[in-house]
Amino acid sequence: MAFWAGGSPSVVDYFPSEDFYRCGYCKNESGSRSNGMWAHSMTVQDYQDLIDRGWRRCRPLQFQPSKSHKKVLKKMLKFLAKGEVPKGSCEDEPMDSTMDDAVAGDFALINKLDIQCDLKTLSDDIKESLESEGKNSKKEEPQELLQSQDFVGEKLGSGEPSHSVKVHTVPKPGKGADLSKPPCRKAKEIRKERKRLKLMQQNPAGELEGFQAQGHPPSLFPPKAKSNQPKSLEDLIFESLPENASHKLEFTRFLCSSPLEAETPPNGPDCGYGSFHQQYWLDGKIIAVGVIDILPNCVSSVYLYYDPDYSFLSLGVYSALREIAFTRQLHEKTSQLSYYYMGFYIHSCPKMKYKGQYRPSDLLCPETYVWVPIEQCLPSLENSKYCRFNQDPEAVDEDRSTEPDRLQVFHKRAIMPYGVYKKQQKDPSEEAAVLQYASLVGQKCSERMLLFRN
């Protein structure tokens, strides 16, 4: 047949299931039912079309790392450069993620509204002031807060009172607030201060004069205004290490054996399409392996397994960010390859919900199979475990099975349309299984792939 020219078709077995059983994610005793398909062989285009009928995807070209993502990358950098091992639990590991940042809204919008002020760009006195206030806000007793109201017209961040301040002696330990130290301020006030400093950096000439007129000392402002452009994902991942770095992290990628047939078309990426293993080597020791599929339109993340001795590096998050950067790299050569697929999204399951942290991203409508931005889906998922994301009530699955007789069957070493095959069958359950298969894979794939029937 013409559509198989230049390669072998996909050959699959389909295994319907009528039984419900316990779901490992939501823990419902009858919350799961699987319809299985075994691929003897699979073309990359067929696999691309199949996962476009039941997956979630991230848009890596517009991806901006969140604060928690940056934290993981900086943690890795510090470990490689200085051998620093973070204290505490691995809170950034995706399987334990709380997804607080993601539910709040699109990261792109958050990055615009939230003033991210790097304390390193501030003078030492401001840095110490903010740090001490963050600690004191959790420790001070109500009586200490009342005493701090005596302060009037304090110089910003200096810790020294102005002429209008009532000067108090330092109390004995446990007998009240130490008024020689900066008072506790509300988080709102700190945010306003950071915003003012941000504006200073953007317009040091005009804004600096106005703020000095209000009594703010010029020493608060850094001598050089840094660029307001945030670091890209690549800048954070590939930041150079010192020559005497404590550790060395290396990567190898190689094609692995799978039912997915490898292809190397001239207009594809240099590595070609297929299934790959990405190995993470630390000082000559393999510590993690990521399994990915490179397809015509996306990089699909299949699995990651790693040495638990290095769980403090949050390798799940780190590998996802590396794979997003890799997708962007492949896009430079192959323009249509522009998505990163992370598999199923289960909103009610923390072990699957972490995927919503990678923004911007889309969820697939389970009825019309169109991609919908996750921000539009979350309100519905908060109210119901199953939702139709497409808001157009007239919309239907454009690739729904409309001509099942055109489905291709591989039977007794012969290829035939299902319309011919079904005339030879007498088992009524056979037709139900085939029609169910056709509805799941869609009309295009049902005509390209060969359904093996014994």
Side-chain angles (χ1 to χ4, degrees):
M1 294 186 179
F3 48 82
W4 294 328
S8 301
S10 301
V11 180
V12 299
D13 262 325
Y14 179 67
F15 303 98
S17 174
E18 301 298 332
D19 298 328
F20 289 87
Y21 53 90
R22 186 175 186 272
C23 175
Y25 294 112
C26 69
K27 309 305 180 184
N28 188 316
E29 294 300 325
S30 59
S32 181
R33 184 177 72 176
S34 294
N35 296 296
M37 187 165 66
W38 176 270
H40 299 274
S41 65
M42 178 70 65
T43 67
V44 292
Q45 187 59 60
D46 285 341
Y47 186 43
Q48 176 72 68
D49 290 342
L50 285 175
I51 65 175
D52 279 338
R53 294 183 64 83
W55 231 247
R56 79 166 296 281
R57 70 183 184 186
C58 168
R59 285 173 262 153
L61 304 187
Q62 295 82 34
F63 174 79
Q64 289 293 333
S66 70
K67 290 180 180 179
S68 61
H69 294 151
K70 292 177 182 178
K71 182 179 177 182
V72 170
L73 295 176
K74 290 178 181 178
K75 179 169 58 177
M76 175 65 79
L77 186 64
K78 289 180 180 179
F79 173 74
L80 296 177
K82 303 177 182 179
E84 292 186 10
V85 177
K87 298 179 181 179
S89 61
C90 304
E91 58 185 22
D92 294 303
E93 198 62 30
M95 299 301 281
D96 300 323
S97 175
T98 59
M99 195 189 163
D100 290 338
D101 292 344
V103 175
D106 196 334
F107 282 138
L109 180 60
I110 291 175
N111 287 337
K112 291 179 182 178
L113 297 179
D114 187 24
I115 305 300
Q116 299 181 14
C117 181
D118 188 352
L119 290 179
K120 293 182 180 179
T121 66
L122 304 181
S123 57
D124 291 339
D125 54 345
I126 292 293
K127 178 178 179 180
E128 293 175 2
S129 173
L130 294 178
E131 290 178 346
S132 63
E133 287 162 0
K135 296 177 182 178
N136 293 339
S137 63
K138 298 180 180 180
K139 298 179 180 179
E140 289 183 339
E141 298 295 329
Q143 62 176 8
E144 297 175 336
L145 295 178
L146 289 174
Q147 292 179 9
S148 69
Q149 293 176 359
D150 292 333
F151 280 83
V152 179
E154 180 199 3
K155 292 182 180 180
L156 184 60
S158 65
E160 300 177 1
S162 69
H163 65 278
S164 60
V165 174
K166 299 178 182 179
V167 180
H168 298 268
T169 58
V170 178
K172 295 180 180 180
K175 297 297 183 179
D178 186 350
L179 300 182
S180 66
K181 295 183 179 181
C184 174
R185 286 177 294 159
K186 294 181 179 179
K188 182 178 180 180
E189 295 176 355
I190 296 176
R191 288 198 297 270
K192 286 183 178 180
E193 177 183 316
R194 289 178 176 175
K195 185 174 182 179
R196 287 196 297 266
L197 292 170
K198 193 75 171 181
L199 293 174
M200 291 296 136
Q201 296 176 9
Q202 295 175 359
N203 188 10
E207 298 290 344
L208 179 58
E209 182 178 355
F211 271 80
Q212 289 182 357
Q214 298 177 26
H216 297 282
S219 61
L220 293 177
F221 309 106
K224 293 183 180 180
K226 289 190 176 182
S227 171
N228 196 36
Q229 186 70 21
K231 284 187 176 182
S232 68
L233 176 62
E234 288 76 11
D235 291 337
L236 294 167
I237 289 178
F238 302 113
E239 187 167 340
S240 59
L241 294 172
E243 293 183 0
N244 61 342
S246 299
H247 300 284
K248 184 178 182 181
L249 185 64
E250 298 176 292
F251 302 86
T252 58
R253 183 182 306 109
F254 59 91
L255 192 67
C256 61
S257 176
S258 83
L260 194 61
E261 299 291 339
E263 297 181 21
T264 54
N267 61 341
D270 293 336
C271 59
Y273 300 126
S275 297
F276 293 81
H277 282 176
Q278 294 198 119
Q279 296 182 341
Y280 294 72
W281 293 82
L282 181 66
D283 302 330
K285 174 186 176 181
I286 189 167
I287 63 170
V289 177
V291 183
I292 62 172
D293 293 322
I294 302 178
L295 303 174
N297 297 336
C298 74
V299 169
S300 175
S301 179
V302 180
Y303 203 72
L304 174 82
Y305 48 96
Y306 58 87
D307 187 336
D309 290 343
Y310 297 91
S311 59
F312 63 88
L313 291 174
S314 301
L315 292 172
V317 174
Y318 182 77
S319 64
L321 296 173
R322 293 278 317 203
E323 290 169 3
I324 289 174
F326 178 53
T327 305
R328 288 153 65 136
Q329 177 186 343
L330 295 178
H331 173 78
E332 295 179 1
K333 170 70 185 301
T334 310
S335 59
Q336 74 272 15
L337 203 164
S338 53
Y339 296 103
Y340 176 62
Y341 285 41
M342 301 183 71
F344 293 118
Y345 175 81
I346 303 176
H347 188 68
S348 58
C349 175
K351 290 186 177 181
M352 301 293 279
K353 191 176 180 180
Y354 76 90
K355 300 175 183 180
Q357 290 184 352
Y358 299 83
R359 304 285 186 92
S361 59
D362 309 299
L363 296 181
L364 199 67
C365 176
E367 296 181 6
T368 63
Y369 298 105
V370 297
W371 295 102
V372 181
I374 193 171
E375 297 81 11
Q376 299 179 23
C377 305
L378 292 180
S380 298
L381 289 172
E382 289 292 336
N383 298 322
S384 175
K385 291 183 178 181
Y386 177 83
C387 305
R388 173 190 167 104
F389 300 138
N390 192 330
Q391 299 302 309
D392 181 1
E394 303 298 326
V396 296
D397 174 17
E398 296 294 338
D399 190 38
R400 64 191 182 281
S401 177
T402 55
E403 299 181 83
D405 284 355
R406 294 173 59 88
L407 180 151
Q408 297 298 308
V409 175
F410 185 47
H411 178 60
K412 292 183 178 180
R413 299 185 180 182
I415 299 172
M416 64 190 73
Y418 176 66
V420 174
Y421 168 79
K422 68 179 182 180
K423 295 178 181 179
Q424 307 173 13
Q425 304 303 312
K426 298 180 180 180
D427 184 358
S429 63
E430 175 79 2
E431 182 174 15
V434 173
L435 293 180
Q436 187 181 67
Y437 160 83
S439 68
L440 291 172
V441 304
Q443 188 68 35
K444 288 188 301 184
C445 284
S446 71
E447 294 186 35
R448 284 203 311 256
M449 300 192 306
L450 301 183
L451 177 62
F452 179 78
R453 307 311 288 170
N454 193 333

